[in-house]
Amino acid sequence: GVLSVINNIDVNPKITTTDAEIEEQINQVLMKNPAIEANEVEVNVLDGIVTLNGVMDSHQEKMICEEVVKGVSGVIGVVNQINIEYATIRPDDELKAEIKNRLQNDVRVEDAYIEVDVDDGNVELTGYVGSAIEKVRAIEDSWVSGVMSVNANKIEIDYSMRNEMKRNRYIPDSDEDIKEAVENALKYDIRVHPTIPKVEVNNGVVILKGIVDHIKVKQAAEQDALNTVGVWRVKNHLKVRPDLEVADKEISKKIREAIKSDIYIEQYDVAIFTRNGIVHIGGTVGSPFVADRVEKLASDVEGVVAIKNNLNTESIPQDKVDWELMQDIKDELYWNPTIDSDNIDVEVINGVATLVGEVDSWYERNLAPIEAYQAGAIEVKNHLNTNIGPDYYRKNKE
């Protein structure tokens, strides 16, 4: 039901960090990120406000750069003045076709009611979506290589249309269609390109094969596949072979340093052990969010080939009885615009939630437990099935 968000929250860091220290830390994290050409970025910091200048060859790289900088401790705000210069100018009809294809194949967007127009590289979106976050994702999908601007002011948000939109969802005709969609997503994702994995599809199951130079490339490729319509499972067989060989002790040291400087994790005692580039993470943290944050920090470190996240999460003390927790979980699922909760049943016993039923995508299946934890569950057992799976493909063939 949310139409828009006005964010007037001020950032007031609890720790005192000089501008020089912030700038040094930003330069370090930019160098670590495989999707960013750090030498193209000029960083200036004044009173905690970071100004970014330079020239990049994609909008996606520009926004990744901004998000990375926002995660640095001490940063109060970011002014992103990075310019985009494309190597080639693409015709409007080519841009329009690619944008429509991306919208159609993004499991997070209902494209049936979205119209796309392109004039001299300037994109205008019109129509309807079911939520504010879906509008944001439609804009993100429209920023393909060659696009100069995206205007979505004529996109209206109508929550009441969700059921009608769901009936119009595009379903791929074959594994070959899914394969093409996944390959296009990988091709235009700068986190993955130019190391394009080999893609195989069998009854909606995507198998990724090949060699990549960084674990973040492997993770991004898997996420791209999961977000593609028709995909209900991904087998990620990509092997990580870093260009630079880093000693295990050095990898562990860099991860510990990153943890100490991160405001979300610094309070926890996290154990790091690395062997043959495989990082093992142990200890107890306060939430699944923090556990995921630790893994993301580890994946930023050069030389990591795999991560074994064995972190436990502390149970949040609560006075809720099981029936109250069950209702809160149902509420969280209902109000998330990305999750269709109509076919999800929730059972709670001693604070442990079990989710049973069907959802439309693997993306929703992974998102539902997060909402259950948000409601206060101490553990979540995810038994959700996806509507797109072996049964769907078997019926299709019949």
Side-chain angles (χ1 to χ4, degrees), residues 108-120:
R108 304 166 300 172
V109 177
E110 299 285 1
D111 71 299
Y113 294 92
I114 300 177
E115 294 294 330
V116 181
D117 290 303
V118 185
D119 184 14
D120 288 336

Side-chain angles (χ1 to χ4, degrees), residues 265-331:
I265 310 170
E266 59 183 357
Q267 60 182 301
Y268 299 106
D269 184 16
V270 178
I272 302 295
F273 172 73
T274 306
R275 184 173 184 179
N276 297 327
I278 302 174
V279 178
H280 299 262
I281 307 173
T284 302
V285 294
S287 69
F289 166 80
V290 177
D292 183 61
R293 178 82 177 177
V294 175
E295 185 169 331
K296 287 181 178 178
L297 288 178
S299 67
D300 283 335
V301 174
E302 195 72 39
V304 175
V305 300
I307 298 174
K308 304 292 184 181
N309 192 342
N310 299 313
L311 284 170
N312 295 315
T313 55
E314 295 175 340
S315 300
I316 302 174
Q318 56 169 310
D319 297 324
K320 296 179 184 177
V321 296
D322 284 346
W323 70 265
E324 289 177 312
L325 178 57
M326 180 181 68
Q327 189 58 56
D328 286 348
I329 293 173
K330 288 182 176 180
D331 287 343

